[in-house]
Amino acid sequence: MSWKPEVDELRRREELARRMGGEERVQRQHDAGRLTVRERIERLADPGSFHELGALTGVPVYEGDRLVEIRPSNFVAGSARLDGRRVVLGGDDFTVRGGAADGTVGYKAGYAERMALELRLPIVRLVDGTGGGGSVKSLESTRRTYVPANPAMEIMTESLATVPVVAAALGPVAGLGAARVVLSHFSVMPRGSAQLFVAGPPVVRRGVGQDVDKETLGGSQIHTRESGAVDNEVASEDEAFAQIRRFLSYLPSSVYELPPVAPCADPVTRREDELLQIVPRSRRQPHDVRRIIRLVCDSESFFELQPRFGRSLVTGFGRLAGRPVGVLANDPKWLGGAIDGPASDKWTRFVDLCDTFHLPVVNFVDNPGFLIGVTGERQGTIRRGARAIAAVYQATVPWCSVIVRRVFGVAGAAHGNHSKLNLRYAWPSGEWGSLPIEGGVEAAYKRELLAAADPDALRRELEQKLGAMRSPFRTAEIFGVEEIIDPRDTRPLLCEWVETAYRLLPSEIGPKLRGMRP
């Protein structure tokens, strides 16, 4: 007696589920410039690797004992491989009730979250819907309201301290759906076709009287440049999938493993003559810090995170001799490299990310300090900056700083943990102190300048006299800076350091005492 009839019925039901919300709604999704959830999974995952769970879940319609139709759950979940590594994938099906929670049936999203956490696998969320309580229209069928809850929130919070969590906002994402995007280590959204907000335009119109469209309310420009709620903006869904794969390539599958080491054909002894002249002698001219990073790291290995938010600070991943590292750098082209409120938040989150997943950190320092002035004070820069400093001092991963130019003030002092070895190399272009001489003269010699017949002439005289003291060699004479190096030696020295760093990493294995915050 064969079970083939039941297997045939299984395949028929799976085929019904693959129709999603039907041809008309699928076409509407395409007309909006968006892929369906199954098309997204097919493009993101390695070919043929997706193994679905809960494919038969849905709201059935029977004629007698025969299933004739099913409205599938609007959440598709399972496991797949990305560049050969197994991950958990979960995606909203916008063609069924707009991805709202009242169409999920059984809350498969929570099961997917639990699966990733307990199997210690990265999770990728393809978010395209509210994910919350669904529409008010559902009250017609339920005949009641409910006290709100955040399903699986405890799992998602624990996952942030355990496995890599990636989220893509791929349509109009609101409420709990928006929270699922930002409760991640990396988030991405395509420009123009995705928006993210606490509540959509109709609710905003009625709630606070603002008549705005979706893009004005929560487009990618707002969240990748102004709010920092989403990390990276891309031009298309395919580019989003490429960035997801690339982000995960630097991280272990969980905190119980080491970061993956890639083959490296780039010589560790490579010395770039360009580094000898990349920092201008004029202190008023900025240098190209991203060029420095690319010249030092393995060829084509630098992947930037949050490039449009907190722009005076550059954060991203790179590789040295094939080994992943976190990269921090001040960008003097924005606010002169000064750390403002947004840059402080970016700094905190990135250090927490590297520490959580055991990535050694390289810090290219050109830090004039926290942003001064009314704007800096109104941003609460000192409190937000103090959180960033605390993150540096709480981190236990190996850390190495390259002092490219300036190190001033409280922010500059946090280029490393001074209570530890604080390994660092300084370039001949380095200068440091509590304040830059130019501003410090104004504060330290205030009385003399007020009393001088020619204050400007006295200021220039004092700056010239004190300027001779800023040579990094004078600091090296008292071992105030441990080593001044030829900039061309930066890559060989860092490649040697990272080998030692990875030898130390096994002691880092496992979760940190404090979990990462979103």
Side-chain angles (χ1 to χ4, degrees), residues 104-259:
T104 59
V105 186
Y107 200 58
K108 290 195 290 181
Y111 187 91
E113 297 287 341
R114 174 69 70 185
M115 180 179 176
L117 178 63
E118 296 200 7
L119 296 183
R120 297 179 182 175
L121 296 173
I123 184 166
V124 179
R125 304 177 188 136
L126 305 177
V127 187
D128 188 2
T130 64
S135 103
V136 171
K137 192 174 181 180
S138 64
L139 297 180
E140 293 181 2
S141 58
T142 62
R143 313 288 301 175
R144 64 183 181 275
T145 59
Y146 61 92
V147 178
N150 290 323
M153 190 61 69
E154 76 286 358
I155 305 173
M156 289 189 279
T157 301
E158 188 176 351
S159 290
L160 287 176
T162 311
V163 298
V165 180
V166 179
L170 299 172
V173 176
L176 183 58
R180 288 168 56 216
V181 171
V182 301
L183 277 163
S184 63
H185 299 110
F186 175 65
S187 57
V188 61
M189 64 189 301
R191 182 170 52 251
S193 63
Q195 300 83 30
L196 180 141
F197 22 65
V198 175
V203 180
V204 170
R205 190 176 303 116
R206 294 293 296 174
V208 296
Q210 295 176 347
D211 192 1
V212 292
D213 60 26
K214 291 185 295 185
E215 192 66 21
T216 303
L217 181 61
S220 59
Q221 176 155 335
I222 290 174
H223 290 304
T224 61
R225 302 178 188 219
E226 298 175 39
S227 75
V230 176
D231 296 318
N232 285 21
E233 176 191 65
V234 292
S236 66
E237 293 194 19
D238 283 329
E239 188 178 346
F241 303 150
Q243 289 209 0
I244 288 170
R245 287 192 296 268
R246 191 168 185 198
F247 176 84
L248 289 173
S249 73
Y250 296 90
L251 298 180
S253 291
S254 77
V255 297
Y256 296 93
E257 302 175 27
L258 292 178

Side-chain angles (χ1 to χ4, degrees), residues 430-506:
E431 57 175 302
W432 34 70
S434 59
L435 286 171
I437 287 174
E438 288 76 9
V441 163
E442 192 77 33
Y445 293 90
K446 181 179 179 180
R447 291 184 180 180
E448 290 88 337
L449 290 169
L450 288 174
D454 188 346
D456 289 338
L458 177 58
R459 184 183 299 105
R460 287 192 296 270
E461 179 185 339
L462 289 168
E463 288 177 357
Q464 184 175 3
K465 180 177 70 172
L466 296 173
M469 307 300 157
R470 66 172 132 205
S471 167
F473 297 112
R474 289 179 179 255
T475 309
E477 289 167 0
I478 60 166
F479 203 57
V481 64
E482 296 75 26
E483 190 169 354
I484 299 175
I485 65 170
D486 182 333
R488 294 171 294 186
D489 291 333
T490 305
R491 173 174 168 79
L493 285 169
L494 288 180
C495 286
E496 185 176 81
W497 163 78
V498 82
E499 181 181 348
T500 301
Y502 267 73
R503 182 173 55 80
L504 299 173
L505 281 185

Side-chain angles (χ1 to χ4, degrees), residues 4 82 112 163 337 452:
K4 187 173 185 302
L82 302 188
V163 298

Side-chain angles (χ1 to χ4, degrees), residues 45-107:
D46 294 353
S49 69
F50 181 60
H51 180 81
E52 187 172 357
L53 61 90
L56 307 187
T57 306
V59 179
V61 176
Y62 282 91
E63 290 183 358
D65 291 334
R66 177 175 169 77
L67 177 77
V68 294
E69 185 182 342
I70 188 169
R71 189 197 76 190
S73 167
N74 64 4
F75 189 84
V76 177
S79 65
R81 294 191 180 273
L82 302 188
D83 297 328
R85 183 166 61 172
R86 193 178 180 210
V87 303
V88 174
L89 280 181
D92 300 320
D93 183 357
F94 196 83
T95 70
V96 178
R97 296 201 57 80
D102 60 357
T104 59
V105 186
Y107 200 58

